[in-house]
Structures are given as structure tokens and as C-alpha cells.
Amino acid sequence: MDYIQINSKLRLETIKLNMADVIFEAIDSNREYLNKWLPFIEETQQVAQTEEFIKGIDSQHGKKRDEVFTIWYNQDFAGLIGFKDTDWINHKTELGYWLTEKMQGKGIVTTCVKELIKIAFKKLGMNRIQIKVATGNEKSAEIPKRLGFHFEGIERKGEFHHGKYLDLQVYSFLKSD
């Protein structure tokens, strides 16, 4: 899976090392906006850290790799979306995503999540997908709600960010849904 054309404006490309500069530039120029909800922003101070992130993904081999995609909207880099913490034995995975500020409000993540749901169930053989959202991040929480994910509850103190632990809302979608 290197390239997925979702529609005339939107495509996903498998993350590659040669994309580190454009990803880091998006993080760096959207630092204040992204830092509100994304714990890795504070630690991403140089392009080398983005390169290490990509190398970590690349070090996973074969079918059992968590796929991460760059999001391109009208040929401009918009953000990242991908599978994480996939449990291949129990056929479940989590989706994570972020967008630059100027790409918000265009339905980009909702459209991409729909596409990754299809991939997870049809190509990867998953039975369960979950999305975790920091309590208070209403914009992000609207995506699983809009797509029919079920709210399961709160993962108490599930993410460390800005020197404190945040509660996470957990949403799930099953193949049978």
C-alpha cells in the first residue's frame, strides 16, 4: 500500500523517510496549534526526530506493520493518519491522526478514517478499531461520533501531556457494526 487516491482532492501515501522535511515543517509551523493535544510535539524539535519516528515505522516488517500515511489535499501536505498499537492476535487496532490548522474543517480526517476502516476490515482482517481522544478535544471527538463509533468510556489518565495525565475518551467500531 504505497498510494491511495481517495477522491480528486485527497490522497494518502505511505510515510517514507524522504517525507521527513515536509512533515517536520508542518509540525514546526503549526507547533502552537498542534501542541494543545499532541504529546509528541514538544519532543519534536528537529527534523532528525521526525526521521527517527519514520525509521521506527520502517523497522516493522511484513504484514504485521502499523501503516502510517501522509495526507495530501490538493497536492499540499495536510497531516498524518495511521494504525497504531495493532494487536494481530486479537484482530484490533487503533487509529491516530492529526492535521495542520489550515486543513481543518474540510472533512479530510472523516474521509480518511472511512477509508482506513475499509482497509482495516477488508485487507488487514481486523475485527475492532478504536479511536482515543483526549477529554476536551471536541473537534477530534466529533470524527468517531460522526462515523458511528460507539463511546465505550474513559481511559483514566491515559496520556501524559504538558506535565500531567489526561483522560482519554475511547470509541470503538466493530466489523459487525
Side-chain angles (χ1 to χ4, degrees):
M1 246 185 290
D2 282 340
Y3 181 92
I4 302 166
Q5 189 72 43
I6 296 177
N7 59 41
S8 63
K9 294 182 177 185
L10 191 57
R11 80 176 188 277
L12 301 177
E13 288 186 36
T14 299
I15 196 169
K16 293 183 175 56
L17 194 55
N18 66 1
M19 298 172 174
D21 286 334
V22 73
I23 296 167
F24 177 76
E25 172 56 34
I27 291 169
D28 204 39
S29 61
N30 287 268
R31 188 169 297 282
E32 185 178 330
Y33 174 76
L34 295 173
N35 194 38
K36 184 170 183 180
W37 299 113
L38 299 173
F40 68 87
I41 299 299
E42 287 178 0
E43 287 87 41
T44 307
Q45 296 296 322
Q46 300 174 18
V47 72
Q49 291 154 319
T50 302
E51 290 169 349
E52 288 304 312
F53 168 72
I54 297 169
K55 287 176 185 174
I57 295 165
D58 285 344
S59 70
Q60 301 173 5
H61 297 290
K63 186 184 175 211
K64 306 232 184 250
R65 170 188 162 137
D66 281 336
E67 292 289 341
V68 176
F69 300 95
T70 52
I71 304 169
W72 301 86
Y73 184 80
N74 286 334
Q75 308 304 319
D76 292 326
F77 177 78
L80 294 182
I81 189 167
F83 301 108
K84 57 181 275 193
D85 302 327
T86 301
D87 179 342
W88 293 95
I89 293 170
N90 294 301
H91 307 123
K92 61 184 179 176
T93 192
E94 183 178 337
L95 286 176
Y97 45 80
W98 62 265
L99 283 182
T100 61
E101 187 171 14
K102 75 176 186 174
M103 293 294 179
Q104 297 290 323
K106 302 177 189 316
I108 294 171
V109 172
T110 300
T111 303
C112 291
V113 168
K114 283 183 194 175
E115 189 67 25
L116 291 191
I117 289 170
K118 289 188 248 176
I119 291 169
F121 293 145
K122 292 179 181 173
K123 292 185 180 172
L124 301 179
M126 293 292 124
N127 182 59
R128 174 189 166 87
I129 301 167
Q130 68 181 24
I131 294 175
K132 294 180 182 179
V133 179
T135 299
N137 188 350
E138 292 309 316
K139 220 172 184 178
S140 189
E142 284 303 313
I143 292 160
K145 290 175 186 176
R146 189 178 302 122
L147 294 175
F149 279 66
H150 297 271
F151 176 70
E152 292 191 338
I154 302 293
E155 181 180 326
R156 297 179 313 135
K157 310 291 184 205
E159 187 170 83
F160 189 71
H161 188 45
H162 291 301
K164 62 182 178 186
Y165 289 96
L166 301 178
D167 291 342
L168 300 174
Q169 298 171 6
V170 180
Y171 297 89
S172 69
F173 197 86
L174 303 179
K175 190 173 187 175
S176 60
D177 289 339

